[in-house]
């Protein structure tokens, strides 16, 4: 297959004739592993469409996560990139990727490794670094992510955005990634939406998040049970909540712990049992948040107020931030089990939910 340029466009780089992705899969006897939630995208029109969402890639430096048999890889190379870093955990795909590397001399660097542990601080040349306030650097992260890794990976990268390290040591590096359609909807959900979640707040307070388009499940081999969303992230110059990542995550996670109940129920678990009610009231009043709103109804500014008020309380009492509600429940449970003579009281509603 020769990848031709779109009509009317002139590309500086064109791959030589290569076997199709389907032929590569047969040639190297590749099979998608269910336990790794692998799904191959063979339609080059769709891989081109994904790559187009990343923006202008001519002379860019790109990191592709989990290239697999190399469908998106071909589309990235055809976009005229300067350098392409491929990070692939599954050794079965390396020979096929090496074939692509040979077809694009000097452009491709293959790393056999796990993106969750790979250090991206030195992945790109130093001269590409930009100040955070400047336009994003000419660096892009692109990936058709296995479902099993997509959520932990985006949380890890959002923490990197917050701390301006990892791939964001170079500036506001943009990302174009695939997720299950439902996860894509959560990432972009507005206040009041049933999909509004912890992921919505963590992503939107740090990035401009765009749900670009949905790829039907039948486009993949093997066909997943769900459709797939392509989501684009551009880190914001100023986060909407200017508090440490760990603090924001703790508050947001607590609020959404009881997503069908009033939001004060989640706020309560930020505090030890002794004085819990009084401190919860104090936090809600300081933040000026209606305690009878549901978690998914809260706006970004209300979450910002909650985080700022909680930070103030933690500064006054540093033991608050290290308090762990689950640990308190565990200790209570152990104490109850020791009181054999009084029997075993039923679990509380909070214990059941947690």
């Amino acid at each position: 297959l020769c990848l031709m340029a779109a009509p009317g466009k002139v590309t500086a780089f064109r791959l030589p004739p290569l076997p199709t992705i389907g032929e590569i899969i047969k040639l190297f006897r590749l099979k998608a592993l269910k336990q790794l939630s692998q799904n191959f995208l063979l339609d080059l029109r769709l891989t081109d469409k994904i790559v187009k969402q990343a923006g202008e890639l001519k002379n860019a430096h790109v990191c592709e996560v989990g290239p697999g048999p190399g469908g998106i890889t071909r589309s990235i190379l055809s976009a005229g990139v300067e350098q392409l870093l491929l990070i692939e955990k599954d050794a079965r795909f390396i020979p096929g990727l090496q074939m692509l590397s040979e077809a694009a001399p000097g452009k491709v660097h293959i790393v056999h490794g796990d993106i969750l542990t790979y250090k991206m601080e030195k992945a790109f040349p130093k001269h590409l670094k930009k100040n955070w306030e400047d336009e994003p650097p000419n660096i892009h992260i692109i990936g058709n992510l296995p479902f099993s890794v997509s959520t932990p990976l985006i949380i890890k990268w959002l923490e990197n955005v917050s701390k301006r390290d990892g791939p964001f040591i170079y500036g506001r590096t943009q990302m174009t990634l695939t997720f299950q359609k439902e996860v894509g909807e959560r990432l972009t959900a507005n206040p009041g939406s049933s999909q509004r979640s912890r992921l919505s707040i963590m992503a939107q307070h740090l990035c401009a998040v765009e749900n670009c388009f949905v790829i039907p499940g039948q486009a993949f081999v093997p066909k997943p049970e769900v459709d797939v969303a392509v989501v684009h992230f551009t880190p914001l110059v100023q986060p909407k909540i200017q508090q440490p990542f760990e603090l924001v995550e703790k508050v947001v996670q607590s609020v959404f712990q009881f997503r069908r109940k009033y939001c004060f129920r989640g706020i309560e678990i930020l505090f030890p049992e002794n004085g819990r009610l009084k401190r919860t009231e104090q936090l809600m009043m300081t933040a000026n948040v209606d305690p009878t709103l549901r978690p998914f109804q809260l706006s970004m500014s209300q979450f910002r107020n909650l985080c700022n008020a909680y930070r103030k309380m933690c500064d006054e009492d540093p033991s608050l931030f290290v308090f762990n509600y689950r640990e308190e429940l565990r200790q209570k449970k152990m104490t109850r089990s020791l009181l054999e003579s009084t029997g075993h009281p039923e679990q509380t509603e909070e214990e059941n939910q947690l």
Side-chain angles (χ1 to χ4, degrees), residues 36-37 65 115-116 143-158 175 177-184 186-187 199 228-229 231 233:
L36 297 179
S37 59
V65 183
I115 188 62
L116 285 168
N144 173 29
L145 305 176
F147 296 153
S148 59
V149 80
S150 60
T151 301
L153 184 57
I154 195 60
I155 288 292
K156 176 181 183 285
W157 276 338
L158 289 170
M175 302 181 284
L177 306 166
T178 62
F179 299 88
Q180 287 185 49
K181 183 186 173 193
E182 186 182 318
V183 177
R186 284 182 201 155
L187 284 162
L199 213 48
V228 173
V231 184
F233 302 82

Side-chain angles (χ1 to χ4, degrees), residues 122-195:
K122 296 177 182 176
F124 305 103
K126 286 181 181 176
H127 74 263
L128 295 172
K129 281 190 179 182
K130 291 274 192 83
N131 293 324
W132 194 260
E133 297 74 23
D134 294 343
E135 286 298 302
N138 202 12
I139 295 172
H140 297 263
I141 297 172
I142 300 174
N144 173 29
L145 305 176
F147 296 153
S148 59
V149 80
S150 60
T151 301
L153 184 57
I154 195 60
I155 288 292
K156 176 181 183 285
W157 276 338
L158 289 170
E159 183 172 3
N160 289 146
V161 170
S162 175
K163 296 176 179 177
R164 301 182 186 181
D165 60 12
F168 307 97
I169 203 165
Y170 301 92
R172 295 185 297 120
T173 301
Q174 297 177 80
M175 302 181 284
T176 309
L177 306 166
T178 62
F179 299 88
Q180 287 185 49
K181 183 186 173 193
E182 186 182 318
V183 177
E185 288 169 350
R186 284 182 201 155
L187 284 162
T188 55
N190 293 317
S193 162
S194 61
Q195 294 284 20

Side-chain angles (χ1 to χ4, degrees), residues 13-34:
F13 176 80
R14 183 178 296 171
L15 284 167
L18 288 165
T20 65
I21 298 299
E23 286 166 353
I24 290 277
I25 289 169
K26 284 178 186 172
L27 180 65
F28 294 105
R29 297 179 181 176
L30 301 173
K31 187 179 179 184
L33 297 180
K34 194 170 184 180

Side-chain angles (χ1 to χ4, degrees), residues 114-288:
D114 187 343
I115 188 62
L116 285 168
T117 55
Y118 182 74
K119 304 290 183 192
M120 292 194 72
E121 287 85 349
K122 296 177 182 176
F124 305 103
K126 286 181 181 176
H127 74 263
L128 295 172
K129 281 190 179 182
K130 291 274 192 83
N131 293 324
W132 194 260
E133 297 74 23
D134 294 343
E135 286 298 302
N138 202 12
I139 295 172
H140 297 263
I141 297 172
I142 300 174
N144 173 29
L145 305 176
F147 296 153
S148 59
V149 80
S150 60
T151 301
L153 184 57
I154 195 60
I155 288 292
K156 176 181 183 285
W157 276 338
L158 289 170
E159 183 172 3
N160 289 146
V161 170
S162 175
K163 296 176 179 177
R164 301 182 186 181
D165 60 12
F168 307 97
I169 203 165
Y170 301 92
R172 295 185 297 120
T173 301
Q174 297 177 80
M175 302 181 284
T176 309
L177 306 166
T178 62
F179 299 88
Q180 287 185 49
K181 183 186 173 193
E182 186 182 318
V183 177
E185 288 169 350
R186 284 182 201 155
L187 284 162
T188 55
N190 293 317
S193 162
S194 61
Q195 294 284 20
R196 185 82 160 171
S197 68
R198 160 194 172 224
L199 213 48
S200 318
I201 310 303
M202 298 311 293
Q204 293 171 34
H205 104 85
L206 290 163
C207 296
V209 191
E210 181 191 357
N211 201 334
C212 304
F213 65 96
V214 173
I215 304 173
Q218 62 256 32
F220 293 85
V221 178
K223 179 190 168 189
E225 294 176 5
V226 293
D227 294 337
V228 173
V230 177
V231 184
H232 183 76
F233 302 82
T234 306
L236 298 169
V237 173
Q238 290 290 345
K240 292 179 181 172
I241 304 173
Q242 297 198 20
Q243 294 294 350
F245 183 87
E246 292 84 358
L247 185 142
V248 178
E249 188 173 41
K250 186 177 182 184
V251 171
V252 173
Q253 215 163 12
S254 298
V255 169
F256 280 102
Q257 187 70 64
F258 306 103
R259 62 173 294 114
R260 291 197 178 101
K261 297 188 178 294
Y262 295 142
C263 65
F264 80 86
R265 288 291 291 107
I267 292 295
E268 281 184 331
I269 68 174
L270 289 168
F271 304 108
E273 191 171 27
N274 185 19
R276 177 170 288 155
L277 189 60
K278 186 181 176 186
R279 280 172 149 175
T280 302
E281 287 176 355
Q282 180 191 341
L283 178 59
M284 302 302 287
M285 284 180 68
T286 306
N288 192 26

